[in-house]
Amino acid sequence: MNGEQTDLERRAARHAALADPARLQIVDLLETGDLSPLEMLARINIASNLLSHHLKVLERAGIVARSRSEGDRRRTYVSLLPDAADPTSGSIVLTTPRVVFVCTANSARSQLAEHLWRARSDVPAASAGTTPSPTVAPGAIAVAARHGLDLHDAAPKLLADIRHDDDLLISVCDNAHEALERTDLHWSVPDPVPANTADAFEKTYRHLARRIDGLLPHLAA
C-alpha cells in the first residue's frame, strides 16, 4: 500500500507541475532535444528568474534534469527524463529530406545514431564530425554488432563535406553543438570514448535509441 501511495504522490506531483502553461511550454520545447537555459530564453517570452523557478519545479517533479556541458563547463543543458513527455501530444512536427547526426570526432555517438536511425526509419541519414578522427572507435563497432548493426565499413567524415542546407542537423555532442553556428536539435549525450568500456558504449547506444524513438513520431519526410 505504501508503494502505491508513493506512486500516486509522484503522479500527482507531476500533474501539478504541468498545470502551468509556462511549464507546459518548456516541456514542449524539450520534446525533441535538449536546450540550455539561455537557449530557452531565446525561444519563450519569460524572465530569467521565472524560468529558473519553473525549471526547479519540473526537476522536483522528476520531469526534467540538468547536465553540465562536456564542452563549456559553465553551461548546462536541460533534458526531459525518460517517460516524462506525453507521446501523444504531437506539438512539434519536423519535415526534412535527410537527418545528419554530428559530433566532434564522428567516431562513436554520431556513427551509432546514423546506423540506429537507418534501422528504424526510411528518412535518409548521415553522420559527420567537426574534427573527424581517422577511424571509428572499436567500442562503437562492438556495441553496434551486439545489436545487429554493422559499422565495420563506416568511416569518419567532415561535416562541411557532406552537409546540405535542408538537412535536419542533430548534434549528439556538447562540443560540436557549441562549435557550430546552428544545429536544429541537440542531444547532450556523454562521450563513451574516454571510459572506453563496454558498459559506457552500451549506455550510449541505449541513450541514442531512446532519443531516436522519441523523435520519430515528430518527423515526416
Side-chain angles (χ1 to χ4, degrees):
M1 187 68 179
N2 288 339
E4 292 178 6
Q5 186 63 31
T6 300
D7 182 61
L8 284 172
E9 291 173 350
R10 179 186 61 80
R11 288 164 56 203
R14 179 169 292 185
H15 284 294
L18 293 175
D20 182 282
R23 291 196 282 273
L24 275 177
Q25 187 177 12
I26 291 169
V27 170
D28 285 349
L29 284 174
L30 296 172
E31 275 189 310
T32 54
D34 305 337
L35 294 168
S36 70
L38 281 176
E39 289 169 331
M40 287 186 195
L41 288 172
R43 300 187 187 200
I44 57 177
N45 184 23
I46 192 172
S48 60
N49 61 335
L50 193 53
L51 174 64
S52 178
H53 164 72
H54 287 315
L55 290 176
K56 287 177 182 177
V57 172
L58 292 170
E59 282 184 283
R60 286 196 299 267
I63 296 171
V64 306
R66 301 192 214 205
S67 60
R68 186 72 57 182
S69 169
E70 289 185 341
D72 183 350
R73 300 297 292 174
R74 299 166 298 179
R75 181 183 298 214
T76 61
Y77 289 104
V78 183
S79 60
L80 281 183
L81 288 170
D83 302 323
D86 178 0
T88 64
S89 65
S91 58
I92 296 175
V93 177
L94 302 168
T95 304
T96 184
R98 187 175 72 156
V99 176
V100 174
F101 297 96
V102 60
C103 64
T104 303
N106 191 214
S107 65
R109 289 166 288 184
S110 54
Q111 292 281 357
L112 287 169
E114 174 190 354
H115 287 77
L116 269 162
W117 183 273
R118 288 180 175 179
R120 285 162 159 76
S121 174
D122 292 331
V123 177
S127 69
T130 53
T131 54
S133 290
T135 59
V136 175
I141 296 173
V143 74
R146 288 197 296 273
H147 291 277
L149 303 176
D150 187 0
L151 267 66
H152 285 91
D153 294 331
K157 301 173 289 294
L158 180 66
L159 178 61
D161 290 342
I162 65 107
R163 185 176 182 177
H164 301 156
D165 290 341
D166 54 359
D167 288 334
L168 180 71
L169 195 65
I170 303 177
S171 54
V172 292
C173 160
D174 295 338
N175 280 293
H177 177 65
E178 291 157 17
L180 293 168
E181 291 184 7
R182 178 192 66 83
T183 60
D184 298 299
L185 300 174
H186 176 52
W187 298 344
S188 184
V189 182
D191 187 359
V193 173
N196 199 29
T197 64
D199 183 60
F201 281 97
E202 181 66 28
K203 286 180 179 177
T204 298
Y205 176 91
R206 293 185 182 280
H207 188 160
L208 289 167
R210 174 176 63 82
R211 294 296 190 110
I212 288 170
D213 288 343
L215 177 60
L216 283 170
H218 297 278
L219 194 72

